[in-house]
Amino acid sequence: MDIAGLRTDLEGLKIEDNPKIVQQKSRDFYWYSPVLKRQLEQVTADIVVSPRDEAEVIRVLAACHRRGIPVTPRGTGTGNYGQAMPLSGGVILSLAEMNTVSAISPGRVVVGPGAIIADIDRATRAHSGQELRLHPSTYATASIGGFIAGGSGGVGSINFGGLRDFGNVLRLRVVTMEAEPRALELTGEDLHKVTHAYGTNGIITEVEMPLTAAYDWVDVIVGFDSFMGAARFGNALGCQDGLLTKLITPIAAPVPQLYFKRHQKFFREGQSVCLVMVAPHSLDAFLAFTRRAGGEVVYNAASASEEEKKGLPPNYELAWNHTTLRALRVDPSITYLQSLYPFPDHLALIEKIDGLFPGEVFSHLEFVRFDGNITCFGLNLVRFTTEERLDEIIRTFEANGCPIFNPHRYTLEEGGMKQTDEVQLAFKREADPQGLLNPGKMIAWENPDYDYRSGKTFLFKGLERAS
């Protein structure tokens, strides 16, 4: 690759070529997986280019297209499947400086792809008392473009489902990788061409997202003598139409006692918990519901003293993949699996799976609204021994009716898709004919004969019908 020539082409743009910084910007949280850590440890780009606006993005893509140099887009690197890692070297396109909040109106906000999600909420709250519908547990550091390109849901999914559900992204502006790059406006069904595509078929340069009413959410932790008590409570709470929650997260003992260091003082030995974020106006009714359900409120931010609250992270930083992160900080042998417990048999499946791997797999659920029904994802913690044993655990989950969206694979199909996404593949042929955008992440592009039509449950609706 003629990187020196590319530097000349891009004179005046912000370029970083210090090898240590380039390597740091070439990584995400891939090390959550011991498999990806082994596979991707040496991956690095040649340079990092940080455009400030869409015109500079177009300039970079045109120059790289002309010289046949791969481009891998990056937000802030908070993903954990290797989504933003440049398998073929070349350019890391850092979009962090394209972070403007350009328009706020009732029900919507327009921002640059590098805008940090917490910063967007600060702006929309101050402007009109609104907030984003969904956010990852990396709320304070994740960019909105990275969330759309690499995420699938998160805090708020109990009300609004996943990012690819209609209405959860309103509009994207996307630049193609061609001799003369085009800027395309995508809305409606066309958004599925690029959402959760890891930037393999276009660079997001502007985002329009829906907003909802903002609340000063109250963190509550409810304790139970058994994990299934916490799971049944979480399911029943999610079904309470009159109670407004944003997070419902049952976690099995001994995970809270071992890994939630700052909250340990609140938990009894052997106690499983359910983490909840509840709107202030629903708090009294929520507490009444919890008493009736037999839960023990072990922490309530609304009534806790300042001394008790001092230094505590918010509940969402104990949930989703922050649960895994907190465990990893204590025990480096911990990794995780992401599964779905399909409605309507999810509680029976949860109970069955929970008993299969004592001391090896620890249950962690995230309740979500999926096709209008309350069900849950599992982000189960796993005590890693070997890759062969990990694959055996995965096969056992799937044999029992719980599909795994494998966080130990870096390709689109092996993670959430479970088969070729014909829509995204067709758009890549149109928008990136040389295959220079984030190469190696889309199996269907690398190997057109690869067939993932398995008849299993799919994380993203539409893929099964597309087959």
Side-chain angles (χ1 to χ4, degrees):
M1 288 183 278
D2 185 4
I3 299 299
L6 180 66
R7 289 185 63 106
T8 300
D9 294 343
L10 301 181
E11 185 176 355
L13 272 62
K14 184 177 178 180
I15 295 175
E16 177 61 68
D17 59 6
N18 181 305
K20 290 186 177 179
I21 297 176
V22 172
Q23 185 181 56
Q24 186 268 322
K25 296 292 186 184
S26 298
R27 295 183 167 192
D28 59 14
F29 285 25
Y30 72 105
W31 44 265
Y32 273 39
S33 163
V35 179
L36 296 185
K37 191 174 190 304
R38 174 183 60 78
Q39 292 176 337
L40 305 180
E41 186 72 12
Q42 304 306 316
V43 166
T44 187
D46 294 277
I47 59 173
V48 178
V49 183
S50 300
R52 290 161 292 196
D53 55 32
E54 183 179 275
E56 291 190 353
V57 171
I58 290 172
R59 186 178 165 193
V60 174
L61 295 186
C64 289
H65 183 276
R66 188 163 57 248
R67 296 184 179 276
I69 295 175
V71 174
T72 300
R74 183 183 197 272
T76 55
T78 59
N80 42 282
Y81 309 110
Q83 299 106 310
M85 296 184 67
L87 302 183
S88 300
V91 170
I92 283 286
L93 189 71
S94 172
L95 299 165
E97 297 199 11
M98 295 176 61
N99 58 7
T100 303
V101 178
S102 57
I104 303 170
S105 58
R108 59 183 68 207
V109 62
V110 179
V111 298
I116 301 301
I117 293 172
D119 292 340
I120 298 171
D121 269 2
R122 272 190 283 272
T124 57
R125 280 171 171 262
H127 179 274
S128 51
Q130 301 180 95
E131 65 184 18
L132 293 167
R133 290 178 174 183
L134 306 171
H135 69 75
S137 63
T138 48
Y139 178 69
T141 54
S143 69
I144 190 67
F147 185 39
I148 291 167
S152 56
V155 182
S157 285
I158 185 60
N159 298 313
F160 295 104
L163 272 172
R164 279 175 62 113
D165 288 342
F166 282 119
N168 280 338
V169 179
L170 300 181
R171 178 179 61 85
L172 296 174
R173 191 169 170 89
V174 176
V175 174
T176 64
M177 180 69 160
E178 302 173 271
E180 296 184 7
R182 295 169 291 150
L184 307 176
E185 297 271 345
L186 303 181
T187 59
E189 200 167 31
D190 286 341
L191 291 166
H192 290 164
K193 295 176 178 178
V194 294
T195 51
H196 202 82
Y198 298 1
T200 56
N201 55 13
I203 303 298
I204 297 170
T205 57
E206 188 174 75
V207 176
E208 186 169 356
M209 297 294 284
L211 298 173
T212 188
Y215 296 99
D216 294 325
W217 298 95
V218 180
D219 287 342
V220 182
I221 303 177
V222 184
F224 294 89
D225 292 335
S226 71
F227 172 68
M228 283 311 299
R232 292 188 181 97
F233 171 81
N235 185 74
L237 177 59
C239 293
Q240 291 295 306
D241 295 334
L243 295 180
L244 182 56
T245 57
K246 194 173 183 178
L247 180 78
I248 302 175
T249 306
I251 300 176
V255 171
Q257 292 82 356
L258 291 176
Y259 307 130
F260 296 170
K261 291 296 188 181
R262 296 181 185 178
H263 286 81
Q264 284 173 330
K265 58 190 175 185
F266 301 114
F267 308 134
R268 289 185 285 103
E269 185 177 353
Q271 190 172 49
S272 295
V273 301
C274 187
L275 312 173
V276 181
M277 291 169 63
V278 59
H281 64 267
S282 284
L283 181 60
D284 288 342
F286 164 79
L287 293 174
F289 171 81
T290 300
R291 285 191 296 271
R292 181 176 292 182
E296 176 190 354
V297 175
V298 298
Y299 175 75
N300 178 354
S303 58
S305 68
E306 290 305 313
E307 184 61 30
E308 285 177 316
K309 290 189 287 186
K310 187 177 180 180
L312 293 182
N315 270 5
Y316 63 78
E317 288 189 356
L318 302 175
W320 290 88
N321 249 326
H322 257 73
T323 313
T324 312
L325 178 60
R326 292 189 181 281
L328 272 167
R329 285 174 175 169
V330 177
D331 182 355
S333 75
I334 293 293
T335 186
Y336 79 111
L337 291 174
Q338 183 164 323
S339 61
L340 174 68
Y341 297 91
F343 180 89
D345 302 319
H346 49 291
L347 287 175
L349 288 169
I350 290 164
E351 187 165 20
K352 184 175 184 181
I353 294 291
D354 185 58
L356 291 179
F357 308 100
E360 186 178 20
V361 178
F362 307 98
S363 293
H364 162 202
L365 307 176
E366 296 291 346
F367 276 92
V368 299
R369 188 173 299 276
F370 198 66
D371 283 345
N373 299 307
I374 300 301
T375 189
C376 55
F377 289 120
L379 282 85
N380 302 285
L381 299 185
V382 179
R383 202 177 298 282
F384 179 78
T385 51
T386 67
E387 292 183 29
E388 291 75 18
R389 176 56 178 162
L390 188 62
D391 287 341
E392 187 178 335
I393 293 170
I394 290 171
R395 287 195 298 271
T396 303
F397 266 77
E398 295 195 324
N400 282 281
C402 295
I404 293 288
F405 310 112
N406 197 339
H408 306 282
R409 301 289 186 269
Y410 54 75
T411 61
L412 285 162
E413 293 91 341
E414 293 172 292
M417 297 298 187
K418 292 291 185 185
Q419 71 170 58
T420 296
D421 186 329
E422 299 290 354
V423 172
Q424 291 187 348
L425 176 60
F427 188 62
K428 185 171 177 69
R429 293 189 182 112
E430 172 191 341
D432 179 27
Q434 290 189 354
L436 292 171
L437 286 177
N438 207 353
K441 305 294 173 58
M442 185 185 284
I443 294 176
W445 179 266
E446 310 292 331
N447 180 6
D449 296 326
Y450 198 90
D451 187 4
Y452 239 88
R453 293 175 174 87
S454 62
K456 297 178 181 176
T457 304
F458 299 97
L459 178 57
F460 301 127
K461 294 179 288 295
L463 300 185
E464 191 165 15
R465 289 191 295 275
S467 69

